[in-house]
Amino acid sequence: MSAKSASVNFSELVNKNKQTLARLKESPRLLLHRRDGEDLVLTTAARAEQDQTVVSAAARMLAAMARREPGSMELLLDILPAAFPWVRFLPEPDLHAFAVELVDTMRAADSLGNSASVAQLLVAWQHTAEVYSDPELLSALTSDHDDDYGPVPNPQDVV
């Protein structure tokens, strides 16, 4: 949440709803803390629509830029480390794959109005960069293991 967001307990919304909702005039979002679950973010429909418009515009501009000219992909590759410093650990072919996948996923997510797949993609690629940043981990995950460790239990059966 940004510094401009107000933070309140969920019970405040329930018990003092008018006063709590009035705080949306001062702050674009309210972070609602819950004891029994994940925190929630409350905003107005107009603000949520504005946020979606901004994200959609950024996704469309990035996609258009990446498709426009052959040199534009090089520009994207040049600016990615400023936006995502961890990409410096990716090998060159993976950096290019990340750029292409990011643009394609942003376009597809925008068409659905759901950015969850973009967030998932960023986390997955960041984890990949983490592996490349650690020589011991990279070696452990990429070396050939001759040993057979036996059958793997079904994850659903493990409790």
Side-chain angles (χ1 to χ4, degrees):
M1 296 284 305
S2 72
K4 294 183 180 183
S5 299
S7 184
V8 298
N9 291 323
F10 187 78
S11 58
E12 223 177 304
L13 175 64
V14 173
N15 296 326
K16 301 176 184 177
N17 58 11
K18 287 183 182 180
Q19 295 94 327
T20 304
L21 291 176
R23 293 177 72 176
L24 281 173
K25 291 179 182 175
E26 304 160 8
S27 176
R29 291 170 197 79
L30 292 178
L31 176 61
L32 301 174
H33 296 290
R34 299 189 314 161
R35 283 180 284 185
D36 60 347
E38 187 176 0
D39 290 347
L40 302 174
V41 176
L42 181 65
T43 190
T44 64
R47 173 65 68 168
E49 187 175 328
Q50 288 173 351
D51 290 348
Q52 181 58 40
T53 300
V54 170
V55 170
S56 179
R60 289 171 190 233
M61 288 181 356
L62 180 63
M65 183 192 81
R67 286 192 318 250
R68 184 163 182 134
E69 297 178 22
S72 60
M73 183 53 82
E74 283 71 34
L75 174 61
L76 178 59
L77 293 171
D78 285 345
I79 64 172
L80 279 177
F84 308 106
W86 48 262
V87 301
R88 296 176 198 283
F89 296 110
L90 294 175
E92 191 67 32
D94 285 355
L95 177 59
H96 190 271
F98 167 64
V100 170
E101 193 173 352
L102 177 62
V103 170
D104 290 347
T105 303
M106 287 180 73
R107 285 181 55 223
D110 178 54
S111 72
L112 297 174
N114 185 337
S115 60
S117 59
V118 177
Q120 181 180 7
L121 173 95
L122 291 170
V123 168
W125 275 105
Q126 184 173 6
H127 288 314
T128 301
E130 288 174 27
V131 170
Y132 280 111
S133 74
D134 183 338
E136 289 181 29
L137 181 57
L138 180 62
S139 176
L141 292 174
T142 58
S143 63
D144 188 22
H145 299 283
D146 294 331
D147 296 333
D148 182 355
Y149 297 105
V152 176
N154 185 339
Q156 293 174 345
D157 296 339
V158 178
V159 179

